[in-house]
Amino acid sequence: MPLLDVADLSATFSTQQGDLRAVEGVSFQMDEGTTLGIVGESGSGKSVMALSIMGLIPSARLGGRIGFEGDDLLSLPDARMRRIRGSRIAMVFQDPMSSLNPVLTVGLQLTEVIRLHTGASRPEARARAEELLRTVGIPEPRRRLKDYPHQFSGGMRQRVMIALALACDPVLILADEITTALDVTIQAQVLALLKTLTVERQTALVMITHDLGVVAGHTDRVLVMYGGQVVEQATTAELFEHPRMPYTWGLLDSMPRMDRDRSKPLVPIEGVPPDLLDPPKGCRFRDRCRFARDICASRAPDLAPAADRPGAHLVRCWGTQDRAGSGWLIGTDHTAPTEA
Amino acid sequence: MTGSHTDDASRPLLEVEDLSVEFPLPRTSLRNRGPRALRAVSDVSFTMRQGETLSIVGESGSGKSTTGRAILRLPPPTSGSVRFDGIEMSSLAPRQVRDLRRRMQMIFQDPLASVNGRMSVGDIIEEPLIIHGLGRAAERRARIVELMELVGLKPGWQGRYPHEFSGGQLQRVGIARALAVGPDFIVADEPVSALDVSVQAQVINLLARLKQELKLTLLFIAHDLSVVRQLSDRVAVVYLGRIIEIAECDTLYASPRHPYTKALLSAVPLPDPKAEAARTPILLEGEMPSPLSPPSGCPFRTRCWKAQPLCAAERPPLAPVSPQTEVACHFPEPAADTVPAGQLQPQ
Ligand SMILES: Nc1ncnc2c1ncn2[C@@H]1O[C@H](COP(=O)(O)OP(=O)(O)OP(=O)(O)O)[C@@H](O)[C@H]1O
Ligand SMILES: Nc1ncnc2c1ncn2[C@@H]1O[C@H](COP(=O)(O)OP(=O)(O)O)[C@@H](O)[C@H]1O
Ligand code: SF4
Ligand code: SF4
Ligand SMILES: [Mg+2]
Ligand SMILES: [Mg+2]
């Protein structure tokens, strides 16, 4: 049984302009010790999805199923959900200041969490807190326990947050853009720390990012999200070697890359992401897709196996998915024409 | 509008010499000891040729924005000299500085930070023309249309308001506003950092096109090394307020000579799982020290894996190690034997 089994998850907000479906029909599974990358543009639904798993988004109507250690998190009573959150599942956010209490020392915040979840005595909890700060690579941990959050730099605060997430030894960590605001050398430190956790503690990690470079080096599987939906889903190696969704091609072609000839101009994705209050009929990427045909406007494609990559590679595109020989293929050579 | 005043192709358009910027620290009851000022930029020197793009890269707090702003005297540097087109800027009266700003403009990460949110985008683009007293109303209107077309915005949108635009479109508005008065020198401070990669590519391509078409000299400030590589002729790497390496772009990426540059490049994630699996980033320990208590000697020595006693005793000066590279290190990395083909770009 997988550790996490998300099936047909949806999240809808009621707004003054009408219903906004931020997440729609998302399904995936995760085992212990694995890392799942979630990529997509801003507004594509990454954070709402993670918050839904955490049960931290009361204003949204959730649908589907979130299987976790034999329970469906969506139907658990609040009290049990609270216990799971923080003891079995933990989340780390992009802006650590928003989840650390600025007027309490880091030590107090850590020991509170530890005592709450383990019932440890105060001295035991202190010792454990010190050990956690050391685990996440904070020098002089005993002294730093007495410091307030603002006395730490951005990279160190992010580590404090990871320490806080580890305090109860969770089996699943959701990390939402946690290295986005960090400089590249500090990002490398934090990513190395997370990798150690997944290997040594067998923690499962959901890594939300918009950086395909981070995904390439630090995940086992990837979900590509667009307009609230998963549009491509595969192992990381498969996704980068055989991308099969025009949106993913667009992301790869628009990235400036140090391993490519820089004299060629980048190929941007023109246009803007769909308005989720009024999503387009048919394929949500159609307005921006160079390969769009008539059917793309009239019918929305499902997430289905890629025609030439059956097995585990799923894609939401009429052009590249297997339609039992009934359709056309746009081909897989996406090498985009360079600008005139 | 304003053309270049530099006819002598060999003379740099911009000459920055020993530029330093300090911010005074207020004395409070809690803090009445320690340094009286924070030194954000120390002894920065470089020149820029007409039409050249020089990038400044470095981590947060390293002094990139402060350097860019000091060149435009926003605020003026604490010491050092900035010559623009041969004119020593510190010798100018405030009014003359303002006039010179017609030739020196700035683009920001947040294009709306400096404008009134209730203005239409047409007004936002027009405002610098009014401030500088350029053109009559009809001429200004024609200029707005011209500028909007130049940056890829529909002129029909000039009556719309900022909240109706996406991030990438707003950055185009910011670029049109900077170009309105016809500058030949632009400081662009993280203009694409807040944008999604798909939109970022649009703005990078726009900047590349504009610098060609308008023969702009561009000082590009960024922390993303992949973005910098796409646009630059030369790159300056800064650390704790100082340039620690400055080199021709392809040389810097193929053969970094400062240990910090090498570590930076090794830490940029590549969107290629095989390449990622095959390499190990150089993991630096700790973080950049506070500019309030910089280390003695080499600013990088607290994180450098090559540090020797000499590094604590003497600060290495920025000095040429090859025709393409200047580096500030007592023990620079050896030059890479060959620059891989395909990474060299013919100029
Ligand atoms: N509380 C809320 N009420 C209404 N709409 C919301 C709420 N939270 C999120 N949304 C909408 O849901 C969609 C997805 O938001 P979400 O923050 O999950 O995207 P994201 O991919 O994580 O974006 P970013 O990268 O900018 O954080 C967006 O259209 C957003 O405006
Ligand atoms: N107005 C100011 N007052 C005091 N310190 C400042 C001010 N502006 C910048 N600094 C400090 O100067 C240093 C360099 O800042 P900055 O140039 O903004 O860095 P960045 O490279 O991120 O753009 C930082 O330590 C910053 O905190
Ligand atoms: S379904 Fe059609 S419009 Fe959508 S990505 Fe595929 S080809 Fe493009
Ligand atoms: S001078 Fe010394 S400490 Fe500084 S970068 Fe060079 S080797 Fe490292
Ligand atoms: Mg988000
Ligand atoms: Mg800055």
Side-chain angles (χ1 to χ4, degrees), chain B residues 14 16 19-23 41 44 63-82 89-90 97 101 104 106 185 187 219 221:
Chain B
L14 183 77
V16 176
L19 182 87
S20 296
V21 183
E22 290 181 3
F23 296 105
V41 174
V44 161
K64 307 178 295 293
S65 306
T66 306
T67 303
R69 303 186 67 105
I71 289 167
L72 302 184
R73 303 188 71 73
L74 295 167
T78 312
S79 62
S81 144
V82 176
M89 293 200 44
S90 62
V97 173
R101 291 238 172 86
M104 310 173 83
M106 190 145 180
F185 174 73
V187 175
L219 183 63
I221 295 172

mmCIF file of all heavy atoms in Angstrom, chain B residues 14 16 19-23 41 44 63-82 89-90 97 101 104 106 185 187 219 221:
data_model
loop_
_atom_site.group_PDB
_atom_site.id
_atom_site.type_symbol
_atom_site.label_atom_id
_atom_site.label_comp_id
_atom_site.label_asym_id
_atom_site.label_seq_id
_atom_site.Cartn_x
_atom_site.Cartn_y
_atom_site.Cartn_z
ATOM 1 N N LEU B 14 31.204 54.387 -19.478
ATOM 2 C CA LEU B 14 31.106 54.512 -18.023
ATOM 3 C C LEU B 14 32.423 54.072 -17.385
ATOM 4 O O LEU B 14 32.966 53.028 -17.735
ATOM 5 C CB LEU B 14 29.975 53.616 -17.505
ATOM 6 C CG LEU B 14 29.716 53.710 -15.996
ATOM 7 C CD1 LEU B 14 28.957 54.989 -15.669
ATOM 8 C CD2 LEU B 14 28.942 52.490 -15.510
ATOM 9 N N VAL B 16 33.908 53.568 -13.583
ATOM 10 C CA VAL B 16 33.650 53.560 -12.142
ATOM 11 C C VAL B 16 34.964 53.255 -11.444
ATOM 12 O O VAL B 16 35.648 52.285 -11.795
ATOM 13 C CB VAL B 16 32.600 52.479 -11.789
ATOM 14 C CG1 VAL B 16 32.402 52.398 -10.280
ATOM 15 C CG2 VAL B 16 31.291 52.770 -12.494
ATOM 16 N N LEU B 19 34.568 52.948 -6.120
ATOM 17 C CA LEU B 19 33.256 53.336 -5.614
ATOM 18 C C LEU B 19 32.964 52.636 -4.273
ATOM 19 O O LEU B 19 33.073 51.415 -4.164
ATOM 20 C CB LEU B 19 32.183 52.928 -6.637
ATOM 21 C CG LEU B 19 30.750 53.293 -6.320
ATOM 22 C CD1 LEU B 19 30.444 54.703 -6.833
ATOM 23 C CD2 LEU B 19 29.794 52.305 -6.975
ATOM 24 N N SER B 20 32.612 53.435 -3.274
ATOM 25 C CA SER B 20 32.203 52.858 -1.989
ATOM 26 C C SER B 20 30.912 53.518 -1.531
ATOM 27 O O SER B 20 30.701 54.705 -1.774
ATOM 28 C CB SER B 20 33.280 53.074 -0.917
ATOM 29 O OG SER B 20 34.455 52.397 -1.270
ATOM 30 N N VAL B 21 30.066 52.729 -0.887
ATOM 31 C CA VAL B 21 28.817 53.269 -0.369
ATOM 32 C C VAL B 21 28.657 52.821 1.078
ATOM 33 O O VAL B 21 28.743 51.627 1.381
ATOM 34 C CB VAL B 21 27.593 52.781 -1.175
ATOM 35 C CG1 VAL B 21 26.321 53.422 -0.643
ATOM 36 C CG2 VAL B 21 27.755 53.082 -2.655
ATOM 37 N N GLU B 22 28.451 53.781 1.963
ATOM 38 C CA GLU B 22 28.206 53.466 3.368
ATOM 39 C C GLU B 22 26.835 53.983 3.766
ATOM 40 O O GLU B 22 26.426 55.052 3.322
ATOM 41 C CB GLU B 22 29.272 54.115 4.254
ATOM 42 C CG GLU B 22 30.623 53.464 4.088
ATOM 43 C CD GLU B 22 31.685 54.085 4.980
ATOM 44 O OE1 GLU B 22 31.343 54.977 5.769
ATOM 45 O OE2 GLU B 22 32.845 53.653 4.857
ATOM 46 N N PHE B 23 26.168 53.230 4.610
ATOM 47 C CA PHE B 23 24.901 53.689 5.196
ATOM 48 C C PHE B 23 25.136 53.950 6.673
ATOM 49 O O PHE B 23 25.556 53.039 7.384
ATOM 50 C CB PHE B 23 23.803 52.643 5.018
ATOM 51 C CG PHE B 23 23.438 52.388 3.580
ATOM 52 C CD1 PHE B 23 23.850 51.228 2.933
ATOM 53 C CD2 PHE B 23 22.693 53.320 2.869
ATOM 54 C CE1 PHE B 23 23.522 50.988 1.606
ATOM 55 C CE2 PHE B 23 22.358 53.085 1.533
ATOM 56 C CZ PHE B 23 22.778 51.924 0.906
ATOM 57 N N VAL B 41 29.153 48.706 -0.188
ATOM 58 C CA VAL B 41 29.963 48.556 -1.400
ATOM 59 C C VAL B 41 31.352 49.092 -1.094
ATOM 60 O O VAL B 41 31.476 50.165 -0.493
ATOM 61 C CB VAL B 41 29.345 49.336 -2.581
ATOM 62 C CG1 VAL B 41 30.253 49.296 -3.805
ATOM 63 C CG2 VAL B 41 27.965 48.792 -2.933
ATOM 64 N N VAL B 44 34.743 49.506 -5.557
ATOM 65 C CA VAL B 44 34.365 48.836 -6.801
ATOM 66 C C VAL B 44 34.834 49.663 -7.998
ATOM 67 O O VAL B 44 34.572 50.866 -8.070
ATOM 68 C CB VAL B 44 32.837 48.626 -6.847
ATOM 69 C CG1 VAL B 44 32.363 48.370 -8.272
ATOM 70 C CG2 VAL B 44 32.447 47.469 -5.939
ATOM 71 N N GLY B 63 25.449 43.736 -2.346
ATOM 72 C CA GLY B 63 25.716 45.112 -2.755
ATOM 73 C C GLY B 63 25.436 45.414 -4.214
ATOM 74 O O GLY B 63 25.812 46.483 -4.715
ATOM 75 N N LYS B 64 24.743 44.534 -4.902
ATOM 76 C CA LYS B 64 24.487 44.732 -6.328
ATOM 77 C C LYS B 64 23.642 45.973 -6.579
ATOM 78 O O LYS B 64 24.012 46.861 -7.348
ATOM 79 C CB LYS B 64 23.762 43.503 -6.907
ATOM 80 C CG LYS B 64 24.442 42.195 -6.636
ATOM 81 C CD LYS B 64 23.673 41.005 -7.190
ATOM 82 C CE LYS B 64 22.307 40.765 -6.552
ATOM 83 N NZ LYS B 64 22.380 40.353 -5.141
ATOM 84 N N SER B 65 22.466 46.033 -5.944
ATOM 85 C CA SER B 65 21.562 47.168 -6.177
ATOM 86 C C SER B 65 22.203 48.469 -5.729
ATOM 87 O O SER B 65 22.068 49.494 -6.399
ATOM 88 C CB SER B 65 20.257 46.985 -5.406
ATOM 89 O OG SER B 65 19.685 45.756 -5.716
ATOM 90 N N THR B 66 22.887 48.414 -4.596
ATOM 91 C CA THR B 66 23.509 49.634 -4.074
ATOM 92 C C THR B 66 24.523 50.179 -5.085
ATOM 93 O O THR B 66 24.598 51.388 -5.314
ATOM 94 C CB THR B 66 24.185 49.347 -2.724
ATOM 95 O OG1 THR B 66 23.220 48.744 -1.857
ATOM 96 C CG2 THR B 66 24.691 50.623 -2.083
ATOM 97 N N THR B 67 25.285 49.280 -5.720
ATOM 98 C CA THR B 67 26.242 49.710 -6.741
ATOM 99 C C THR B 67 25.515 50.383 -7.902
ATOM 100 O O THR B 67 25.871 51.491 -8.322
ATOM 101 C CB THR B 67 27.041 48.495 -7.275
ATOM 102 O OG1 THR B 67 27.694 47.867 -6.180
ATOM 103 C CG2 THR B 67 28.062 48.921 -8.319
ATOM 104 N N GLY B 68 24.494 49.712 -8.417
ATOM 105 C CA GLY B 68 23.749 50.263 -9.557
ATOM 106 C C GLY B 68 23.152 51.620 -9.237
ATOM 107 O O GLY B 68 23.198 52.540 -10.046
ATOM 108 N N ARG B 69 22.619 51.748 -8.048
ATOM 109 C CA ARG B 69 21.963 53.001 -7.669
ATOM 110 C C ARG B 69 22.985 54.105 -7.449
ATOM 111 O O ARG B 69 22.740 55.265 -7.779
ATOM 112 C CB ARG B 69 21.128 52.792 -6.409
ATOM 113 C CG ARG B 69 20.090 51.686 -6.561
ATOM 114 C CD ARG B 69 19.209 51.616 -5.337
ATOM 115 N NE ARG B 69 18.406 52.813 -5.262
ATOM 116 C CZ ARG B 69 17.122 52.866 -5.558
ATOM 117 N NH1 ARG B 69 16.490 51.770 -5.913
ATOM 118 N NH2 ARG B 69 16.471 53.996 -5.489
ATOM 119 N N ALA B 70 24.133 53.739 -6.868
ATOM 120 C CA ALA B 70 25.148 54.764 -6.598
ATOM 121 C C ALA B 70 25.653 55.382 -7.901
ATOM 122 O O ALA B 70 25.963 56.574 -7.951
ATOM 123 C CB ALA B 70 26.308 54.156 -5.800
ATOM 124 N N ILE B 71 25.726 54.580 -8.953
ATOM 125 C CA ILE B 71 26.170 55.111 -10.244
ATOM 126 C C ILE B 71 25.211 56.203 -10.704
ATOM 127 O O ILE B 71 25.612 57.223 -11.262
ATOM 128 C CB ILE B 71 26.271 53.959 -11.275
ATOM 129 C CG1 ILE B 71 27.461 53.071 -10.911
ATOM 130 C CG2 ILE B 71 26.411 54.489 -12.700
ATOM 131 C CD1 ILE B 71 27.482 51.752 -11.639
ATOM 132 N N LEU B 72 23.924 56.009 -10.444
ATOM 133 C CA LEU B 72 22.919 57.010 -10.812
ATOM 134 C C LEU B 72 22.742 58.061 -9.714
ATOM 135 O O LEU B 72 21.816 58.874 -9.776
ATOM 136 C CB LEU B 72 21.566 56.330 -11.091
ATOM 137 C CG LEU B 72 21.550 55.253 -12.180
ATOM 138 C CD1 LEU B 72 20.135 54.749 -12.419
ATOM 139 C CD2 LEU B 72 22.130 55.797 -13.476
ATOM 140 N N ARG B 73 23.577 57.990 -8.679
ATOM 141 C CA ARG B 73 23.520 58.928 -7.547
ATOM 142 C C ARG B 73 22.179 58.855 -6.817
ATOM 143 O O ARG B 73 21.591 59.857 -6.443
ATOM 144 C CB ARG B 73 23.815 60.368 -8.007
ATOM 145 C CG ARG B 73 25.162 60.489 -8.700
ATOM 146 C CD ARG B 73 25.574 61.928 -8.995
ATOM 147 N NE ARG B 73 25.937 62.699 -7.799
ATOM 148 C CZ ARG B 73 27.052 62.560 -7.096
ATOM 149 N NH1 ARG B 73 27.944 61.639 -7.447
ATOM 150 N NH2 ARG B 73 27.305 63.323 -6.055
ATOM 151 N N LEU B 74 21.701 57.629 -6.636
ATOM 152 C CA LEU B 74 20.416 57.399 -5.945
ATOM 153 C C LEU B 74 20.609 56.461 -4.756
ATOM 154 O O LEU B 74 20.132 55.334 -4.797
ATOM 155 C CB LEU B 74 19.398 56.745 -6.902
ATOM 156 C CG LEU B 74 18.923 57.537 -8.100
ATOM 157 C CD1 LEU B 74 18.197 56.633 -9.076
ATOM 158 C CD2 LEU B 74 18.020 58.660 -7.655
ATOM 159 N N PRO B 75 21.271 56.777 -3.712
ATOM 160 C CA PRO B 75 21.935 58.039 -3.385
ATOM 161 C C PRO B 75 23.357 58.058 -3.924
ATOM 162 O O PRO B 75 23.867 57.018 -4.360
ATOM 163 C CB PRO B 75 21.952 58.007 -1.854
ATOM 164 C CG PRO B 75 22.125 56.549 -1.556
ATOM 165 C CD PRO B 75 21.383 55.804 -2.627
ATOM 166 N N PRO B 76 24.026 59.218 -3.846
ATOM 167 C CA PRO B 76 25.404 59.313 -4.331
ATOM 168 C C PRO B 76 26.327 58.423 -3.507
ATOM 169 O O PRO B 76 26.052 58.140 -2.338
ATOM 170 C CB PRO B 76 25.772 60.788 -4.108
ATOM 171 C CG PRO B 76 24.510 61.501 -3.863
ATOM 172 C CD PRO B 76 23.527 60.504 -3.330
ATOM 173 N N PRO B 77 27.432 57.957 -4.124
ATOM 174 C CA PRO B 77 28.382 57.136 -3.372
ATOM 175 C C PRO B 77 29.048 57.928 -2.254
ATOM 176 O O PRO B 77 29.094 59.151 -2.294
ATOM 177 C CB PRO B 77 29.407 56.728 -4.437
ATOM 178 C CG PRO B 77 29.251 57.694 -5.555
ATOM 179 C CD PRO B 77 27.835 58.162 -5.516
ATOM 180 N N THR B 78 29.539 57.212 -1.247
ATOM 181 C CA THR B 78 30.260 57.859 -0.150
ATOM 182 C C THR B 78 31.632 58.341 -0.627
ATOM 183 O O THR B 78 32.100 59.402 -0.241
ATOM 184 C CB THR B 78 30.437 56.856 1.008
ATOM 185 O OG1 THR B 78 29.171 56.242 1.266
ATOM 186 C CG2 THR B 78 30.944 57.539 2.255
ATOM 187 N N SER B 79 32.271 57.530 -1.474
ATOM 188 C CA SER B 79 33.541 57.967 -2.051
ATOM 189 C C SER B 79 33.723 57.270 -3.385
ATOM 190 O O SER B 79 32.987 56.347 -3.720
ATOM 191 C CB SER B 79 34.697 57.642 -1.110
ATOM 192 O OG SER B 79 34.760 56.247 -0.931
ATOM 193 N N GLY B 80 34.720 57.740 -4.136
ATOM 194 C CA GLY B 80 34.989 57.137 -5.434
ATOM 195 C C GLY B 80 34.469 58.005 -6.556
ATOM 196 O O GLY B 80 33.809 59.017 -6.320
ATOM 197 N N SER B 81 34.781 57.597 -7.764
ATOM 198 C CA SER B 81 34.461 58.432 -8.915
ATOM 199 C C SER B 81 33.623 57.658 -9.926
ATOM 200 O O SER B 81 33.827 56.458 -10.132
ATOM 201 C CB SER B 81 35.784 58.904 -9.536
ATOM 202 O OG SER B 81 35.684 58.964 -10.933
ATOM 203 N N VAL B 82 32.633 58.332 -10.503
ATOM 204 C CA VAL B 82 31.854 57.771 -11.604
ATOM 205 C C VAL B 82 31.931 58.771 -12.747
ATOM 206 O O VAL B 82 31.509 59.919 -12.599
ATOM 207 C CB VAL B 82 30.378 57.552 -11.208
ATOM 208 C CG1 VAL B 82 29.580 57.065 -12.416
ATOM 209 C CG2 VAL B 82 30.251 56.570 -10.056
ATOM 210 N N MET B 89 30.660 62.701 -12.425
ATOM 211 C CA MET B 89 29.300 62.994 -11.955
ATOM 212 C C MET B 89 29.271 63.766 -10.647
ATOM 213 O O MET B 89 28.349 64.527 -10.392
ATOM 214 C CB MET B 89 28.497 61.702 -11.863
ATOM 215 C CG MET B 89 28.294 61.163 -13.271
ATOM 216 S SD MET B 89 26.976 60.000 -13.519
ATOM 217 C CE MET B 89 25.598 60.634 -12.662
ATOM 218 N N SER B 90 30.293 63.553 -9.805
ATOM 219 C CA SER B 90 30.257 64.253 -8.518
ATOM 220 C C SER B 90 30.488 65.758 -8.688
ATOM 221 O O SER B 90 30.244 66.528 -7.769
ATOM 222 C CB SER B 90 31.305 63.663 -7.569
ATOM 223 O OG SER B 90 32.589 63.856 -8.127
ATOM 224 N N VAL B 97 22.694 66.818 -12.853
ATOM 225 C CA VAL B 97 22.493 65.374 -12.656
ATOM 226 C C VAL B 97 21.135 64.976 -13.210
ATOM 227 O O VAL B 97 20.988 63.984 -13.921
ATOM 228 C CB VAL B 97 22.577 64.996 -11.153
ATOM 229 C CG1 VAL B 97 22.191 63.535 -10.953
ATOM 230 C CG2 VAL B 97 23.978 65.245 -10.623
ATOM 231 N N ARG B 101 20.133 62.338 -16.278
ATOM 232 C CA ARG B 101 19.271 61.152 -16.116
ATOM 233 C C ARG B 101 18.459 60.869 -17.367
ATOM 234 O O ARG B 101 17.905 59.791 -17.509
ATOM 235 C CB ARG B 101 18.312 61.347 -14.930
ATOM 236 C CG ARG B 101 19.030 61.337 -13.620
ATOM 237 C CD ARG B 101 18.536 60.268 -12.674
ATOM 238 N NE ARG B 101 19.433 60.249 -11.528
ATOM 239 C CZ ARG B 101 19.279 61.044 -10.475
ATOM 240 N NH1 ARG B 101 18.236 61.849 -10.393
ATOM 241 N NH2 ARG B 101 20.151 61.009 -9.505
ATOM 242 N N MET B 104 20.550 58.226 -18.522
ATOM 243 C CA MET B 104 20.810 57.114 -17.596
ATOM 244 C C MET B 104 19.513 56.756 -16.889
ATOM 245 O O MET B 104 19.030 57.528 -16.083
ATOM 246 C CB MET B 104 21.850 57.532 -16.549
ATOM 247 C CG MET B 104 23.095 58.167 -17.132
ATOM 248 S SD MET B 104 24.168 58.824 -15.827
ATOM 249 C CE MET B 104 25.046 57.353 -15.331
ATOM 250 N N MET B 106 16.733 53.580 -15.143
ATOM 251 C CA MET B 106 16.759 52.359 -14.341
ATOM 252 C C MET B 106 15.476 51.549 -14.549
ATOM 253 O O MET B 106 14.390 52.113 -14.672
ATOM 254 C CB MET B 106 16.900 52.766 -12.878
ATOM 255 C CG MET B 106 17.188 51.618 -11.968
ATOM 256 S SD MET B 106 18.279 52.099 -10.610
ATOM 257 C CE MET B 106 18.383 50.532 -9.756
ATOM 258 N N PHE B 185 22.075 54.577 -21.523
ATOM 259 C CA PHE B 185 22.621 53.716 -20.483
ATOM 260 C C PHE B 185 21.477 53.309 -19.556
ATOM 261 O O PHE B 185 20.701 54.143 -19.110
ATOM 262 C CB PHE B 185 23.701 54.461 -19.691
ATOM 263 C CG PHE B 185 24.229 53.706 -18.508
ATOM 264 C CD1 PHE B 185 25.067 52.616 -18.681
ATOM 265 C CD2 PHE B 185 23.906 54.090 -17.211
ATOM 266 C CE1 PHE B 185 25.562 51.915 -17.584
ATOM 267 C CE2 PHE B 185 24.399 53.392 -16.113
ATOM 268 C CZ PHE B 185 25.232 52.304 -16.299
ATOM 269 N N VAL B 187 20.405 50.849 -16.126
ATOM 270 C CA VAL B 187 20.670 49.914 -15.036
ATOM 271 C C VAL B 187 19.392 49.099 -14.853
ATOM 272 O O VAL B 187 18.334 49.651 -14.566
ATOM 273 C CB VAL B 187 21.002 50.645 -13.718
ATOM 274 C CG1 VAL B 187 21.151 49.639 -12.569
ATOM 275 C CG2 VAL B 187 22.277 51.473 -13.857
ATOM 276 N N LEU B 219 23.706 47.783 -17.744
ATOM 277 C CA LEU B 219 24.259 47.220 -16.508
ATOM 278 C C LEU B 219 23.154 46.357 -15.912
ATOM 279 O O LEU B 219 22.138 46.861 -15.445
ATOM 280 C CB LEU B 219 24.675 48.326 -15.534
ATOM 281 C CG LEU B 219 25.340 47.845 -14.243
ATOM 282 C CD1 LEU B 219 26.651 47.133 -14.537
ATOM 283 C CD2 LEU B 219 25.600 49.014 -13.295
ATOM 284 N N ILE B 221 21.665 43.626 -13.363
ATOM 285 C CA ILE B 221 21.874 43.114 -12.013
ATOM 286 C C ILE B 221 20.981 41.907 -11.805
ATOM 287 O O ILE B 221 19.770 41.983 -12.056
ATOM 288 C CB ILE B 221 21.541 44.212 -10.982
ATOM 289 C CG1 ILE B 221 22.542 45.364 -11.145
ATOM 290 C CG2 ILE B 221 21.556 43.653 -9.564
ATOM 291 C CD1 ILE B 221 22.202 46.576 -10.311
#
